[in-house]
């Protein structure tokens, strides 16, 4: 079946989906994006994704091409047209096409592009075994709180991981873990969960937010603070969270085996709680 994409008002076959070479997303990475998980054909945590999208747009003084309500309807229509029951919807808004010049052009219409990707989320086999990760220097810019499409540093980090068969690269700055190349990083020590506090150094993960709420419900103690690579090596368990992995247990960090090489109890429990919550609250 041909995948259908959405480009500036039209649903079109993916092969025919086109954007101008002058689009500032292409020339300057002048754009922002979101990935919403789809489970049972419904949108998971989508309100929080759209709230973050709105914030990202505000931070770069960009208009939204459609209202957030219309956007939800378009996401659902795209999922429907692609018969997507499980996977994700990628959504990108760029400043639009204009003569190449660095400062923001006036009177340019932003571009909105969306496409779907099928993905095993609930029955991801990696959740049974846990995943290996590596650590790598964080090479990114200083506004990582904006979900910008400038992803070269993350692509380089992920490639480092891929070269050694690891699923994720955990980025490190000044000896402190920032986050995964496309995920939030968590550790567990003595029953306490630790994840980095929000700042311009990390993306405010939507899955992170929901997992924090689940921890509160479960009376699990959480510390939102910086932590070192050594703390990650010494952790009882670790996991990553993202719309593409949900809660994914980590069993190896560089050469250190965690939780005897099997998914830890807290990460596994949070994964199943998150999936239940996602199913119960998804939009669609
Ligand atoms: N990435 N940190 C970074 C740098 C990310 O790129 C992502 C998600 C996250 C987790 O955010 P959330 O829980 O809202 O998905 C944290 C998406 C999934 C991607 O680029 O594919």
């Amino acid at each position: 079946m041909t995948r259908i994409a959405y480009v500036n008002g039209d649903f079109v076959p993916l092969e025919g989906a086109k954007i101008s070479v002058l689009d500032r997303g292409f020339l300057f990475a002048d754009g922002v994006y979101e990935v919403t998980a789809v489970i049972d054909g419904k949108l998971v945590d989508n309100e929080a994704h759209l709230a973050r999208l709105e914030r990202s747009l505000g931070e770069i003084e960009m208009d939204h091409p459609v209202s957030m309500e219309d956007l939800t309807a378009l996401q659902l229509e795209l999922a429907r047209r692609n018969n997507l029951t499980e996977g994700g919807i990628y959504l990108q808004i760029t400043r639009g096409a204009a003569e190449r010049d660095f400062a923001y052009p006036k009177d340019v219409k932003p571009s909105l592009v969306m496409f779907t990707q099928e993905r095993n989320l609930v029955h991801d086999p990696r959740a049974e075994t846990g995943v290996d990760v590596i650590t790598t220097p964080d090479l990114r810019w200083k506004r990582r709180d904006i979900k910008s499409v400038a992803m070269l540093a993350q692509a380089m980090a992920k490639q480092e991981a891929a070269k050694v068969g690891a699923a994720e690269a955990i980025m490190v700055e000044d000896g402190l873990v920032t986050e995964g190349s496309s995920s939030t990083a968590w550790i567990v020590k003595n029953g306490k969960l630790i994840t980095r506090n929000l700042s311009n150094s990390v993306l405010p993960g939507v899955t992170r937010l929901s997992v924090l709420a689940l921890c509160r419900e479960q009376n699990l103690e959480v510390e939102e603070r910086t932590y070192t690579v050594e703390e990650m090596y010494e952790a009882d368990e670790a996991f990553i969270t993202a719309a593409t992995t949900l809660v994914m247990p980590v069993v190896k960090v560089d050469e250190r085996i965690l939780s005897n090489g099997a998914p830890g109890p807290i990460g596994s429990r949070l994964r199943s709680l998150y999936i239940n919550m996602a199913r119960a609250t998804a939009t669609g």
Side-chain angles (χ1 to χ4, degrees), residues 21 52 56 58 74 89 101 138 146 151 172 181 185 204-205 221 235 240-241 247 258 267 276 284:
V21 292
R52 184 173 64 190
S56 294
L74 290 170
I89 297 186
D101 196 0
D138 195 329
I146 300 171
M151 298 287 280
V172 179
S181 66
E221 204 183 327
I240 53 174
T241 56
V247 179
L258 301 190
N276 291 344

Side-chain angles (χ1 to χ4, degrees), residues 124-132 248-251 261-263:
D124 188 337
R126 298 176 305 169
E128 306 295 319
T129 55
V131 297
D132 297 355
M248 183 59 66
V250 168
V251 293

